[in-house]
Amino acid sequence: MKTALISGITGQDGAYLAEYLLSKGYNVLGIIRRLSTQNIERLSYLNIADKVKLLDGDILDLSSLIRILKDYKPGEVYNLAAQSFVGTSWQQPILTSNVTAIGALNLLEAIRLVDPSIKFYQASTSEMFGKIKETVQSETTPFHPRSPYGVSKLYAHWMTVNYRESYNMFACAGILFNHESPIRGLEFVTRKVTYTAARIKLGLQDKLSLGNIDTKRDWGHARDYVKAMYLMLQHDKPEDFVIATGRTTSVRDMCEIAFDYLGLNYEDYVVIDKELFRPAEVEILIGNPSKAEKYLGWKSRTTLEEMIKEMVEADLKRIKEEIKG
Ligand code: NAP
Ligand code: GDD
């Protein structure tokens, strides 16, 4: 039986990746940091909380990572842990750099010291393209990050490349464009929209405050995207891949899709709050996933409309259950 270790298993992608690896027959281990409250809602939502083994550790604590690798000997390590909210990265740039940049280095170092044959996946991001240098971004597009988060991810990305080149490690970076789901954090724009639209439909709220709704993103479904992470570690050689849909949509149009689905006009509810604008913005992202299609046989399956519908329905159901108590 193959054993995989996931950092960030309590997050959106960690939960879907755990579900997928379990379906492939893996023994799934996850690093869980000490918090004052339990934080396994997403694993419970997918009904897998009792099927994975959660291990105390923190990607800021190198010794905990070394201990876990020595004790459990995973063959694959997926580094999904991060301070992943771009907005917060301006409020907490040092914490973001420690977790998102140095955390990845800690995991790479732990692998190098314990067993360099362990395969490593780094969660890189389209946020690294930032102020885009090419209309459609691919593996060869130059980077220009626009946030402390993007800069931290770029450091982790190059460390992954460097460990591959320096130590011949099987270390891959997936450059994933935005991906969402019903278990997306409430602070990210798609989920903020689907959750608030559902509350408005149920008469619990009457306005949705947003920042810059003219920005555009290439949005896919997390359930589709975690399969690409797995495929990268099964590929015959370690390489980096862009994972995207190839379609871009504005936040405004995404709002329209969500409200339309509920029979509402978004223009009646959305208010623009200048406080929510970012100090530096990534105006538009659109990825070219052809390398992943060609070499991994991976393709995005879920359309934005299908995903938003799934998210709105899940939010409606959850809010109704909360009301019932
Ligand atoms: P997420 O929901 O915010 O999950 C982040 C995870 O990191 C959580 O499990 C969190 O644990 C964990 N974490 C934070 N600090 C940690 C620490 N010091 N030690 C150990 N774990 C820690 O993010 P996501 O959307 O699943 O994204 C997964 C990864 O892909 C992230 O690295 C993100 O930056 C990257 N990425 C995401 C997207 C996207 O669109 N979703 C696109 C490209 C790249 P707690 O639950 O304890 O907070
Ligand atoms: N969160 C949020 N809240 N975003 C808003 C809002 C709002 O009220 N109003 C407008 N936006 C705009 C943001 O300014 C941004 O241009 C866009 O909506 C998407 O914002 P997020 O959903 O927060 O995602 P992100 O693109 O900044 O970052 C996500 O994707 C990256 C990959 O490109 C995160 O998942 C990152 O971790 C990930 O690396």
Side-chain angles (χ1 to χ4, degrees):
M1 189 191 250
K2 283 182 160 184
T3 297
L5 174 68
I6 303 175
S7 76
I9 195 166
T10 54
Q12 169 188 261
D13 291 8
Y16 277 114
L17 178 63
E19 180 188 49
Y20 187 60
L21 294 177
L22 286 168
S23 78
K24 293 261 164 207
Y26 274 68
N27 173 30
V28 178
L29 314 171
I31 298 174
I32 189 153
R33 58 182 172 151
R34 198 269 159 184
L35 295 172
S36 64
T37 49
Q38 220 194 16
N39 179 25
I40 54 164
E41 291 87 2
R42 293 184 173 106
L43 298 170
S44 303
Y45 185 88
L46 298 179
N47 291 316
I48 55 168
D50 56 352
K51 299 190 176 74
V52 297
K53 186 164 180 61
L54 299 177
L55 307 167
D56 271 344
D58 196 303
I59 56 161
L60 295 173
D61 184 317
L62 178 63
S63 71
S64 69
L65 304 177
I66 291 176
R67 170 179 50 76
I68 289 170
L69 294 183
K70 278 189 172 165
D71 287 355
Y72 292 92
K73 302 182 175 35
E76 297 173 8
V77 171
Y78 295 85
N79 181 33
L80 309 186
Q83 189 304 93
S84 76
F85 186 49
V86 173
T88 292
S89 77
W90 279 282
Q91 312 304 325
Q92 300 182 37
I94 296 168
L95 181 278
T96 301
S97 303
N98 283 334
V99 176
T100 307
I102 303 300
L105 176 59
N106 282 336
L107 211 32
L108 283 162
E109 260 302 271
I111 291 172
R112 185 183 71 80
L113 292 168
V114 175
D115 177 3
S117 74
I118 295 171
K119 292 182 176 181
F120 177 78
Y121 173 86
Q122 168 60 20
S124 286
T125 165
S126 50
E127 186 70 16
M128 301 187 308
F129 295 121
K131 195 168 180 181
I132 54 164
K133 304 291 182 223
E134 285 178 325
T135 320
V136 179
Q137 300 85 54
S138 73
E139 293 79 5
T140 54
T141 303
F143 300 117
H144 183 146
R146 295 272 280 170
S147 61
Y149 167 79
V151 173
S152 304
K153 280 286 183 184
L154 193 50
Y155 173 93
H157 180 82
W158 282 117
M159 273 300 174
T160 303
V161 174
N162 183 256
Y163 270 57
R164 179 167 75 217
E165 293 176 352
S166 304
Y167 306 114
N168 204 22
M169 278 168 46
F170 197 108
C172 307
I175 307 174
L176 271 56
F177 283 62
N178 299 50
H179 46 280
E180 322 288 313
S181 74
I183 52 171
R184 183 60 145 152
L186 278 167
E187 66 274 42
F188 299 94
V189 76
T190 52
R191 182 79 199 289
K192 182 173 175 183
V193 168
T194 62
Y195 180 76
T196 312
R199 282 178 57 84
I200 289 172
K201 180 71 181 176
L202 295 171
L204 299 169
Q205 203 165 326
D206 54 14
K207 290 288 170 229
L208 164 60
S209 295
L210 292 175
N212 186 348
I213 60 172
D214 293 317
T215 59
K216 293 183 165 182
R217 290 292 183 272
D218 179 333
W219 278 298
H221 198 303
R223 202 172 37 221
D224 293 339
Y225 283 35
V226 297
K227 293 179 186 163
M229 300 175 184
Y230 161 79
L231 288 171
M232 280 179 226
L233 294 200
Q234 317 314 311
H235 189 46
D236 50 11
K237 55 181 192 292
E239 285 187 60
D240 307 326
F241 291 89
V242 157
I243 300 299
T245 70
R247 166 187 172 192
T248 195
T249 308
S250 68
V251 173
R252 182 190 298 279
D253 289 347
M254 182 270 296
C255 283
E256 191 173 354
I257 294 168
F259 279 82
D260 261 9
Y261 180 68
L262 292 165
L264 303 171
N265 180 353
Y266 81 98
E267 288 171 313
D268 295 337
Y269 305 98
V270 170
V271 289
I272 301 303
D273 179 352
K274 290 279 174 197
E275 293 281 308
L276 295 171
F277 278 56
R278 293 175 175 176
E281 183 57 271
V282 174
E283 303 292 343
I284 178 166
L285 291 172
I286 175 168
N288 173 1
S290 55
K291 182 181 173 190
E293 282 178 29
K294 184 169 175 195
Y295 294 102
L296 304 178
W298 179 88
K299 216 172 160 32
S300 176
R301 300 277 164 206
T302 315
T303 65
L304 179 62
E305 287 75 7
E306 288 164 348
M307 181 178 72
I308 293 291
K309 174 173 177 285
E310 183 187 340
M311 292 172 68
V312 171
E313 282 174 355
D315 279 326
L316 273 175
K317 185 162 175 267
R318 269 187 289 220
I319 297 165
K320 283 181 189 162
E321 280 165 9
E322 274 164 29
I323 296 171
K324 266 202 241 150

